[in-house]
Amino acid sequence: MSEEIVSVYVLDASYEVVGTEPHIIVWGVDENGRRVLLRDRRFKPYFFAIVDLKHLDKLDVIKSSIKRLSRPKSPILSIQEVDKLFMGKPVKALRIETSIPEFVREYRSDIAKIPGVKAVVEADIRFSMRYLIDNDISPCTWHKFKVVKKQKTGEYRVDEELEIVGVLERDDSKILPPKLRIMAFDIEVYNPHGAPKPERDPIIIISMQNSEGELIQLQAQGKDDRKLLKDFIDYVNRYDPDIVVGYNSNNFDWPYLIERSRKLGIKLDLSRRRGVEPSKSVYGHVSIPGRLHLDLYDFAEEITEIKVKSLDEVAEYFGVMKKSERVNVPWYDIYRYWDDEKLRPILLRYARDDVIATYGIAEKILPFAMQLSSITGLPLDQVGSASVGFRLEWFLLRVARVRGELVPNRVEKEYESYRGAIVLEPKRGVHENIAVLDFSSMYPSIMLKYNIGPDTLIIGEECLDCFAAPETGYIFRKDKDSFFKVALTILVNTRRQVRELLKKYSPETAEYRILDARQRALKVLANACYGYMAWTGARWYCKECAEAVADFGRETIKKAISLARNIGLDVIYGDTDSLFVKYNKEAVEKLIDAVEKELGLEIKVDKVYQRVFFTEAKKRYIGLTADGRIDVVGFEAVRGDWAEIAKEMQEQVAEIVLKTMDHRKAVEFVKNEIEKIRKLAANNAIDISKFVIWKTITKPLNEYEVEAPHVTAAKHLIKLGYGIEVGDKVGYVIVKGSGKISERAKPYITADPKDLDLDYYVEHQIIPAVLRILEYFGVSEKQLKGIGRSGKTLFEYAKK
């Protein structure tokens, strides 16, 4: 058959072993919108053995020793001498090729024992990822292939099967992806016993929304979910989505669907390779061959502004759906709503709102996630579940290949602490008209400026022309670019080019949204380089490098503070890569120029506060922005182990104080709010969710020496049939009664709002939270709790 060139938007890559031959499988969408499978039979797994310099004269002996290890099931096909770099230094290596990917790891340990072999590297790079790296193919990117059309086998749910005979270049002429089919889904489970178990409890509702605007809800027949599951499988295969999105679907929806189907003897056959079911894969994500499954919760976890990562909170944050406008059903009551025919329509609306929210969040997150996938080379279903360190590392592997650098093995090390960034003591009190000046990507800039990397670090040698860190004394060569400088230069220059390209498009266009997402993804990866070097799981781990960057950072901030003071600016606070100064437009512009000229770094005004309040503690302040918003940093309002009622009250007190500068109004507000809470409680109308305290189980329950409230609550949950593991968050409330606080902690799902101990919440949650602000204005705990002008305590007033 004749060869042709096709342009394909790559979705994912995997591999199959057919007999003794590995086949790379590339899944994608072509220019005509057809779902295609491209098969490449030519690629073989390989790895490298670095030869000890002292044994270079024994290369033939080493090769013979390797050949003798060859096994019939996966023979060693070739051994090739190559010149490479390893940690920046020239090395002689042997490129060893075999036939079946799984045998690479088996050969690795045996070859490492051969005399003269210094190290065996790149044996732990997954075969399909190796293919993508070597051919410079990235998911979520258009690429050209030379192919031959093949007869469809019927094994795959695709429009066309193609054989790759040549991998050509990326198709950079295309910015926009093809029209992809996206499906959001969400399941509801019957749970009369508390935590649902798939071997016992049926799935009662599956809600789906797709990119054509279709919303479908499948329902169980009473408590029989066999037909529901079969209809779900049929719908997925009929709609044939390219991307499936869920919320916490890696940890709940898919595992539940997989186990429930297994229990009922139903094959969950909904991938593009017939007969292959979804399964857990690397980074804990659920893989669906030929489709990309994205768990949006992974991305929500990284958004620090969202304090509670529930679906309704995240949807509100993104402007998808207000909490006040959606139906909410307590999860522990789902079974009750299902059993009651009058309540069931409410449950269906709740499930409908869940899937609408999920789809809406996906629309916000997908452009960024797809660009992150394109830059790092990690498929979309993995890029969310992988940590920032792993994402960056896959990009670094591509840089290493282009540079001819062998990739170090991953060696987990114990964390070693080191001195980090500088944080100044703040000037306590309320300050008006304060500008926050941020260095633009300070740490990446320092790494570039001082050529920092493990391959340029010099230990135990003299260097006449090197960069020296001011305090630690670590030195870095100038005569060759470090590996990280090369990687950062690519990221920074690419981002600059993308931002230039952005100017050609209107913000309303799809092209603009995609390019903007790309420049943000590039920035995220550049900023991750410093933290990566200090990550003990990093292949290019370098504690000394991380220490040196922090060292140069401290010096930079000190010099910037000195420049600011010389210009006449009053410096209120400094933290890591930002300065808080009394805002004077002309003086601030002079500082920006001085920093650029004298320090060679860029600094800019990030925000201006009308007022900002500092306690004596570092990293703890509350600011009123120019547009009237409140920023809370380091107070209870942003911590998870305080009840929502305390957080809300603290934030509202901060807002009143900063907007009015009258602390008496704040005290009056607290008094009135407590009275409102009492009245709501008296009318049995209190919202218990605002009184829940969340704490994480950090070790097995039997290892807790002191019976903390969350431990008591966890033990209650276990008695009710819930599974509690290390890392789980437990939500509890404190109820009325005698005895220790820990003895009065109950799981919130079992508590009645009328039993809440409001005195506890006022005295141990609300008052301490608001006092963190009010005590600066001379308001004491005694004043809040003690005798006021009316002769009554605040508590007594509130109890009237």
Side-chain angles (χ1 to χ4, degrees), residues 433-444:
N433 196 28
I434 300 297
V436 182
L437 289 160
D438 269 4
F439 281 90
S440 299
S441 304
M442 178 197 266
Y443 287 170

Side-chain angles (χ1 to χ4, degrees), residues 499-541:
R499 293 178 82 178
E500 279 299 310
L501 196 55
L502 260 176
K503 295 174 184 176
K504 297 182 180 180
Y505 298 95
S506 163
E508 291 76 39
T509 62
E511 286 88 348
Y512 184 95
R513 288 193 294 274
I514 283 170
L515 290 169
D516 185 49
R518 189 168 186 82
Q519 69 88 13
R520 284 189 291 118
L522 287 160
K523 181 180 180 180
V524 166
L525 289 172
N527 286 336
C529 286
Y530 158 68
Y532 173 83
M533 293 189 301
W535 173 41
T536 54
R539 293 178 187 271
W540 284 275
Y541 171 75

Side-chain angles (χ1 to χ4, degrees), residues 386-529:
S387 68
V388 174
F390 280 122
R391 293 173 194 165
L392 175 64
E393 195 164 84
W394 284 110
F395 169 76
L396 294 177
L397 262 67
R398 289 172 178 257
V399 176
R401 184 185 175 279
V402 173
R403 189 175 154 92
E405 184 100 29
L406 292 174
V407 176
N409 291 325
R410 188 185 314 288
V411 181
E412 290 285 351
K413 305 171 184 69
E414 283 194 21
Y415 176 74
E416 300 174 80
S417 63
Y418 62 90
R419 191 178 168 200
I422 192 170
V423 183
L424 297 181
E425 294 286 344
K427 291 187 177 179
R428 190 169 186 260
V430 177
H431 304 273
E432 298 197 348
N433 196 28
I434 300 297
V436 182
L437 289 160
D438 269 4
F439 281 90
S440 299
S441 304
M442 178 197 266
Y443 287 170
S445 299
I446 285 171
M447 290 174 69
L448 284 166
K449 183 177 178 180
Y450 298 109
N451 201 30
I452 292 171
D455 50 339
T456 50
L457 172 68
I458 297 176
I459 297 176
E461 297 176 38
E462 286 190 10
C463 183
L464 299 175
D465 189 26
C466 285
F467 296 110
E471 294 176 23
T472 56
Y474 294 127
I475 54 177
F476 299 88
R477 341 169 40 109
K478 290 182 178 180
D479 60 352
K480 63 171 186 175
D481 287 347
S482 77
F483 175 66
F484 277 105
K485 183 172 183 178
V486 172
L488 276 167
T489 301
I490 294 168
L491 291 169
V492 170
N493 288 346
T494 306
R495 185 172 181 237
R496 192 177 294 124
Q497 291 163 10
V498 172
R499 293 178 82 178
E500 279 299 310
L501 196 55
L502 260 176
K503 295 174 184 176
K504 297 182 180 180
Y505 298 95
S506 163
E508 291 76 39
T509 62
E511 286 88 348
Y512 184 95
R513 288 193 294 274
I514 283 170
L515 290 169
D516 185 49
R518 189 168 186 82
Q519 69 88 13
R520 284 189 291 118
L522 287 160
K523 181 180 180 180
V524 166
L525 289 172
N527 286 336
C529 286

Side-chain angles (χ1 to χ4, degrees), residues 550-611:
D551 190 348
F552 281 118
R554 291 191 297 272
E555 182 189 50
T556 301
I557 285 286
K558 287 174 186 173
K559 286 181 176 177
I561 290 168
S562 179
L563 288 171
R565 286 172 176 160
N566 290 341
I567 290 167
L569 282 167
D570 185 12
V571 179
I572 306 300
Y573 179 59
D575 180 2
T576 310
D577 59 356
S578 60
L579 293 178
F580 290 60
V581 300
K582 192 80 174 172
Y583 187 47
N584 174 305
K585 190 172 186 293
E586 188 179 338
V588 164
E589 286 174 354
K590 278 185 185 177
L591 176 61
I592 290 169
D593 288 341
V595 166
E596 191 169 335
K597 286 174 187 170
E598 297 187 34
L599 303 183
L601 294 172
E602 185 183 335
I603 196 171
K604 65 181 187 301
V605 177
D606 179 50
K607 64 180 76 171
V608 176
Y609 287 120
Q610 294 179 48
R611 294 191 183 99

Side-chain angles (χ1 to χ4, degrees), residues 187-204 220 222-225 229 252 256-257 259-261 263-264 335 720-721:
I187 72 171
E188 307 301 338
V189 178
Y190 191 70
N191 58 344
H193 306 286
K197 295 185 177 179
E199 66 270 17
R200 176 187 65 200
D201 301 313
I203 299 167
I204 47 178
K223 297 179 185 67
D224 183 352
D225 52 353
L229 282 165
F252 180 71
Y256 206 98
L257 280 161
E259 287 301 317
R260 186 65 186 161
S261 299
K263 165 69 178 174
L264 297 176
Y335 78 96
L720 293 171

